[in-house]
Amino acid sequence: MTFNDWPWRHWREQRGEAVAIYLGEQTLSWRALCQRIDSLACGFAAQGVQPGDGVMLRGKNHPDIVLAWLALLQCGARVQPINPQLPSALLEELLPGLTLRFAVDLADNADFADLIALDLREAAGNYDAGWRPQRLASMTLTSGSTGLPKAAVHTCAAHLASAQGVLALIPFAGQDNWLLSLPLFHVSGQGIFWRWLLAGARLTVSEQPLAAALQGCTHASLVPTQLWRLLNAPEPVSLKAVLLGGSSIPVLLTNHARDRGISTWCGYGLTEFASTVCAKEADGLPDVGYPLPGREVRIVEGEVWLRASSLAQGYWRNGQLQPLVNDSGWFATRDRGVLHNGRLTIQGRLDNLFFSGGEGVQPEEVERVIAGHSQVRQVFIVPVDDAEFGQRPVAVVDADTGFDINELKDWLAEKLARFQQPVSWLPLPEHLALGGIKISRRALQAWVATQVER
């Protein structure tokens, strides 16, 4: 679909009184939503926001975050969402290079001396910087394994192209309702946001616990642990489609979901591509599916290269865009992969490979084997330093209650080479398991180091 105006205004004309969004206890139609966006945009403009200005939007998912984002877009601003849990020392390093002018802080009203604080002041009128889909609209921090995170810059057109590719595979329209279950400072949360705008369906923004927030929702983006717990809870589930992210997807989980009338989808995505690049309905096979419409994939010397209409314009640094593509015009991902009959299988990050006693261990390959056990919900392999072997693999597992780890060790004996077999087994900690986004391997490795030292 091609919009000739802001998507919310398009849907106001097409579905004016239809429900657009559930904001906590408040329900807004497309017409009422546009009125709120107009008044907030006027308020921001009165405080000095102009097209092209960089604005930090700091906070967790909340109705005000969503409304502020929409209004800032209508002002023509370049929105930089920030995780409120980022330490102040890291922000002090990051902010100068992001060249932001304003800050909307809905977390703890921290003092950002170099930024002008904005409040959510509403004013009469309908300020509009004009619908220009190629204008720089968002900056999203990547979770790089080394150095400072980079800010990938996308246009509205790129976000909509990402949404269009996903919705070519996953039905979502009209009366459907997608829970904003992932934070907007993460590209997967933005993916939900733009699919809603493209489809003109419904979005739920809730601060309630997941099971309560999902009441009445038909779609959600979850990690396997979240879906396991929902399916094992006594409360009824209204979901009909779930996009799963994170680690290997257990077949037992997807079968259980199917028995409850829920279709499950999995895929492969990157911040630089505004979320999902390849996807499929979960089928138990290790690939991530075919490239979605508007995406291209090739393998060069074992590395996955990508091109897509959803690609970011570049990385933002000191007011300049740094190119993402190589001399051949492709984005080199640093992911190992293979293509078979057009379907992509990701073998792991080139950066994740480590050596134990001279043997290369690719964590994702080991995880895929362990996840095949019927009682394993989620598993991660991380290296720990070892004086004799250099590094050894440690497994962090989320498994059924009362599960005997010795049973798993026996089960793995003939499925993994000796150098691949974990030397220690740890339970996945709660604070990492339910973050709602892809678990950081760097954070997990740091946590494991503290446990092994004990």
Side-chain angles (χ1 to χ4, degrees):
M1 174 181 292
T2 301
F3 293 105
N4 296 317
D5 201 348
W6 298 101
W8 44 94
R9 290 187 172 180
H10 170 87
W11 295 119
R12 178 186 61 188
E13 300 307 312
Q14 298 293 318
R15 303 176 182 172
E17 301 308 321
V19 172
I21 191 168
Y22 299 97
L23 296 172
E25 299 299 318
Q26 186 179 20
T27 301
L28 296 180
S29 67
W30 286 104
R31 192 175 310 282
L33 175 62
C34 286
Q35 291 171 351
R36 293 293 305 276
I37 295 170
D38 285 345
S39 59
L40 277 171
C42 285
F44 286 140
Q47 294 174 76
V49 178
Q50 300 177 10
D53 282 342
V55 182
M56 180 179 73
L57 186 57
R58 183 171 178 263
K60 297 180 179 179
N61 281 5
H62 181 277
D64 287 344
I65 283 281
V66 175
L67 292 172
W69 192 309
L70 292 164
L72 287 168
L73 287 175
Q74 191 164 298
C75 288
R78 173 174 41 90
V79 181
Q80 171 68 76
I82 291 290
N83 182 347
Q85 294 184 343
L86 286 184
S88 56
L90 177 58
L91 278 180
E92 287 175 4
E93 284 189 84
L94 276 173
L95 287 177
L98 299 176
T99 57
L100 306 174
R101 186 179 175 205
F102 296 97
V104 178
D105 186 5
L106 299 178
D108 52 16
N109 294 315
D111 181 22
F112 300 99
D114 295 331
L115 302 181
I116 302 170
L118 296 173
D119 58 46
L120 301 184
R121 180 189 316 167
E122 299 193 23
N126 59 350
Y127 180 79
D128 176 11
W131 170 244
R132 297 180 184 174
Q134 297 299 334
R135 178 191 287 129
L136 302 183
S138 69
M139 297 168 56
T140 310
L141 296 179
T142 62
S143 53
S145 56
T146 59
L148 283 176
K150 299 176 182 178
V153 185
H154 285 93
T155 64
C156 291
H159 282 296
L160 289 169
S162 173
Q164 190 166 12
V166 173
L167 297 190
L169 186 67
I170 303 176
F172 177 63
Q175 302 298 309
D176 290 331
N177 180 5
W178 206 310
L179 175 68
L180 189 63
S181 52
L182 302 174
L184 282 172
F185 53 74
H186 191 277
V187 73
S188 296
Q190 294 173 40
I192 300 170
F193 179 84
W194 286 96
R195 286 170 217 142
W196 162 62
L197 290 176
L198 178 67
R202 299 176 179 181
L203 183 72
T204 288
V205 184
S206 175
E207 296 183 280
Q208 297 186 73
L210 182 62
L214 277 169
Q215 294 303 309
C217 293
T218 59
H219 291 63
S221 300
L222 305 172
V223 295
T225 298
Q226 290 175 314
L227 183 55
W228 273 119
R229 297 188 180 189
L230 285 170
L231 295 177
N232 291 329
E235 296 84 2
V237 179
S238 58
L239 290 170
K240 63 183 184 183
V242 172
L243 181 58
L244 287 167
S247 63
S248 301
I249 312 301
V251 176
L252 188 66
L253 171 62
T254 57
N255 288 344
H256 189 14
R258 186 181 62 241
D259 292 342
R260 298 281 293 274
I262 303 170
S263 60
T264 53
W265 309 79
C266 58
Y268 166 66
L270 299 87
T271 298
E272 290 83 356
F273 287 82
S275 193
T276 312
V277 174
C278 297
K280 66 173 185 177
E281 191 163 6
D283 57 9
L285 299 177
D287 66 274
V288 293
Y290 295 101
L292 295 173
R295 283 76 152 166
E296 298 177 72
V297 178
R298 67 185 296 191
I299 306 298
V300 180
E301 297 181 354
E303 182 180 16
V304 179
W305 286 14
L306 302 174
R307 286 198 303 209
S309 51
S310 62
L311 179 63
Q313 297 296 296
Y315 295 122
W316 187 272
R317 186 66 179 170
N318 296 322
Q320 301 293 323
L321 284 171
Q322 299 177 338
L324 281 75
V325 298
N326 57 26
D327 292 341
S328 300
W330 292 76
F331 179 80
T333 66
R334 298 295 295 160
D335 287 324
R336 291 178 60 221
V338 294
L339 280 170
H340 182 66
N341 294 329
R343 290 165 65 127
L344 175 65
T345 298
I346 299 297
Q347 298 174 314
R349 289 287 297 172
L350 295 172
D351 301 335
N352 289 342
L353 181 70
F354 65 91
F355 289 86
S356 181
E359 299 283 356
V361 178
Q362 187 70 53
E364 294 87 347
E365 292 178 358
V366 180
E367 291 162 2
R368 192 172 297 117
V369 174
I370 298 174
H373 193 281
S374 61
Q375 291 183 279
V376 173
R377 298 170 177 173
Q378 203 169 13
V379 59
F380 297 90
I381 296 295
V382 298
V384 293
D385 292 338
D386 183 271
E388 180 180 357
F389 291 89
Q391 290 184 312
R392 302 296 300 275
V394 169
V396 183
V397 181
D398 178 25
D400 291 348
T401 303
F403 176 58
D404 183 358
I405 201 66
N406 291 318
E407 177 187 331
L408 180 57
K409 292 178 181 178
D410 293 340
W411 182 80
L412 285 173
E414 296 182 358
K415 293 179 173 63
L416 293 173
R418 288 183 62 84
F419 67 87
Q420 292 176 310
Q421 295 180 15
V423 295
S424 296
W425 298 80
L426 299 170
L428 183 64
E430 188 80 8
H431 72 280
L432 290 175
L434 295 179
I437 58 175
K438 182 172 65 177
I439 292 176
S440 164
R441 286 185 182 271
R442 183 164 53 176
L444 195 59
Q445 187 171 347
W447 176 81
V448 167
T450 66
Q451 304 302 304
V452 173
E453 288 172 1
R454 291 179 179 178

